[in-house]
Amino acid sequence: MNETAEKMLIPEEVREYLLANPDFFLEHQDLFTEINFPHETSGAVSLIERQVQVLRESQKDSLNRVSELTATATINHELLKKMQLLTLKLIEAEDSSSLLTSLNDLMLDQFELDRMQLLITDGTVGTDLPLTETLPSDKLTQLYTDIFNLDIYVGRAPAKLSEYFSEAALENIASIALLKLNISDQPSYLLLGSSNETRFQSDMATDFIEFVANVFSILLKRSLGKS
């Protein structure tokens, strides 16, 4: 055997070393969370053993929290990159049609959704737009009351939605984000849909979705004003 190879210590050598270095554990207190120190207490767990157990559990909890924070940070970083890409692509759109097409492509590709549909008031624009359906203003006002009474709804697709969107727009859609847009004096809505019923949930954070709606509203309103 190579003389430089690490030597395996026998218990007697460990004992002799510890006796010669009585302060060893004081100088290496991190070892208390890694090794066992059994203590005879007539079948009961000793205070020392319990303290060590608590330390180990605390260390494990801390490591789990660090792992969770790291995973969340990674997800948020990826989401931020997607948001930056989305914003830049929408700003680059030359007209209303390309704006809608760009948003649809990004929603389906980068965010893995299955449907995007714009719902606006009759007569809002003079030309047909892709991915757009129209309804009378009173019907769209009723939508606000029937579906959510809020500017944003996330969750399972309500049955009443079929009274406002076409069958094609809702085909195989199980959960949705429905956002009220500010592009004119009349109501307008953006529908984001997924075939996964848990993709949009009522208790989920909506910061990102609201950001998308605000950016899209500003750009679409500006684009329609130039038409």
Side-chain angles (χ1 to χ4, degrees):
M1 178 182 289
N2 191 324
E3 293 182 356
T4 62
E6 181 180 354
K7 180 182 178 182
M8 295 296 294
L9 296 177
I10 61 175
E12 186 61 30
E13 290 176 320
V14 175
R15 179 177 182 277
E16 290 178 359
Y17 178 82
L18 293 177
L19 288 173
N21 298 272
D23 294 333
F24 177 81
F25 286 109
L26 293 177
E27 298 171 356
H28 301 81
Q29 295 187 30
D30 58 301
L31 293 177
F32 283 101
T33 62
E34 302 295 334
I35 59 179
N36 292 317
F37 290 90
H39 184 66
E40 295 296 335
T41 55
S42 302
V45 176
S46 72
L47 179 60
I48 294 175
E49 288 177 292
R50 181 56 182 160
Q51 288 175 324
V52 172
Q53 181 183 353
V54 169
L55 284 172
R56 285 176 175 161
E57 291 174 353
S58 177
Q59 182 188 49
K60 183 178 180 180
D61 289 342
S62 296
L63 291 173
N64 288 339
R65 282 196 293 270
V66 169
S67 296
E68 291 173 0
L69 289 172
T70 300
T72 300
T74 300
I75 293 172
N76 288 339
H77 178 67
E78 291 301 316
L79 181 58
L80 178 60
K81 288 167 58 178
K82 291 180 179 181
M83 289 173 63
Q84 291 173 334
L85 174 63
L86 180 145
T87 304
L88 291 174
K89 289 294 184 181
L90 295 185
I91 291 174
E92 290 174 358
E94 297 180 352
D95 52 38
S96 303
S97 295
S98 58
L99 179 63
L100 281 159
T101 301
S102 294
L103 181 60
N104 181 68
D105 291 345
L106 288 163
M107 288 294 101
L108 272 57
D109 180 35
Q110 294 294 315
F111 298 94
E112 300 177 348
L113 298 182
D114 299 295
R115 187 87 72 251
M116 189 205 85
Q117 191 77 33
L118 179 65
L119 185 61
I120 59 178
T121 307
D122 290 338
T124 300
V125 291
T127 56
D128 292 335
L129 290 174
L131 305 159
T132 302
E133 297 179 351
T134 63
L135 284 175
S137 60
D138 59 339
K139 188 71 172 176
L140 285 175
T141 300
Q142 185 62 38
L143 167 62
Y144 186 83
T145 302
D146 283 351
I147 303 299
F148 46 74
N149 277 318
L150 296 170
D151 289 344
I152 177 171
Y153 169 90
V154 288
R156 291 193 175 186
K160 269 188 169 294
L161 210 62
S162 60
E163 298 179 15
Y164 302 96
F165 286 90
S166 68
E167 182 178 346
L170 299 177
E171 184 179 4
N172 297 323
I173 296 303
S175 63
I176 64 165
L178 187 60
L179 305 106
K180 188 171 182 291
L181 304 180
N182 180 29
I183 60 175
S184 70
D185 295 334
Q186 302 299 323
S188 300
Y189 297 92
L190 179 67
L191 173 72
L192 303 176
S194 173
S195 58
N196 181 353
E197 66 179 17
T198 63
R199 180 66 173 82
F200 294 107
Q201 302 183 52
S202 59
D203 60 348
M204 69 182 293
T206 59
D207 303 55
F208 165 70
I209 302 173
E210 291 179 285
F211 173 80
V212 171
N214 289 334
V215 171
F216 178 69
S217 290
I218 293 171
L219 295 176
L220 184 57
K221 183 176 182 178
R222 181 181 303 170
S223 178
L224 291 175
K226 296 177 180 178
S227 300

